[in-house]
Amino acid sequence: VQFAESGGGLVEPGGTMRLFCDASGIIGSVGAMGWFRQVPGNRREMVAVSIDDDHREYAESVKGRFTIFRVNAEKRIILYMSDLKPEDSGVYFCNADLRRESTQWFAAYDWGQGTQVTVTS
């Protein structure tokens, strides 16, 4: 299973950006898919999860600003980010068939290369 993340780059505070994730190698249907962010020295943290067609979960820091979309037929997820803040900067990764244990989400597959998002003036 592989993930190809794209769409990152440099953006000013208050700006918008879309991230794309395409999964390949998954046979059959896929479960929860989501985005995670990592900054140097910190662990990778959940940003947004599409649990199924009707349910989504977001980190508190991005609620109301980020929206995750899912295209099941293509095993693709899109993260629409608005009103971006410097603290949103980091490398964004996606993964699939996520499982939740208590308050944390865990990935089923190896991580891809991620895409860098930098929010700065």
Side-chain angles (χ1 to χ4, degrees):
V1 175
Q2 293 184 320
F3 299 96
E5 300 98 342
S6 61
L10 189 67
V11 64
E12 292 186 348
T16 62
M17 183 175 284
R18 286 180 300 174
L19 303 183
F20 301 88
C21 167
D22 293 290
S24 60
I26 298 176
I27 306 300
S29 62
V30 63
M33 297 183 71
W35 287 95
F36 295 73
R37 177 177 61 222
Q38 188 169 28
V39 297
N42 286 14
R43 62 184 297 174
R44 197 174 278 127
E45 296 181 330
M46 183 276 288
V47 174
V49 173
S50 172
I51 300 169
D52 55 36
D53 288 344
D54 300 315
H55 300 91
R56 302 172 181 87
E57 184 172 318
Y58 297 93
E60 285 295 326
S61 62
V62 307
K63 281 183 180 178
R65 301 187 297 119
F66 290 15
T67 305
I68 186 170
F69 297 96
R70 179 182 181 132
V71 184
N72 284 324
E74 300 175 3
K75 294 184 173 62
R76 161 178 271 208
I77 52 172
I78 302 167
L79 186 66
Y80 179 78
M81 306 185 291
S82 64
D83 189 23
L84 281 160
K85 306 176 186 300
E87 53 263 40
D88 295 322
S89 299
V91 181
Y92 283 69
F93 301 86
C94 64
N95 215 292
D97 290 332
L98 306 174
R99 75 180 191 280
R100 183 176 179 175
E101 295 181 8
S102 183
T103 60
Q104 294 198 14
W105 287 92
F106 294 89
Y109 307 106
D110 291 340
W111 299 96
Q113 295 296 311
T115 185
Q116 175 73 48
V117 172
T118 303
V119 184
T120 181
S121 53

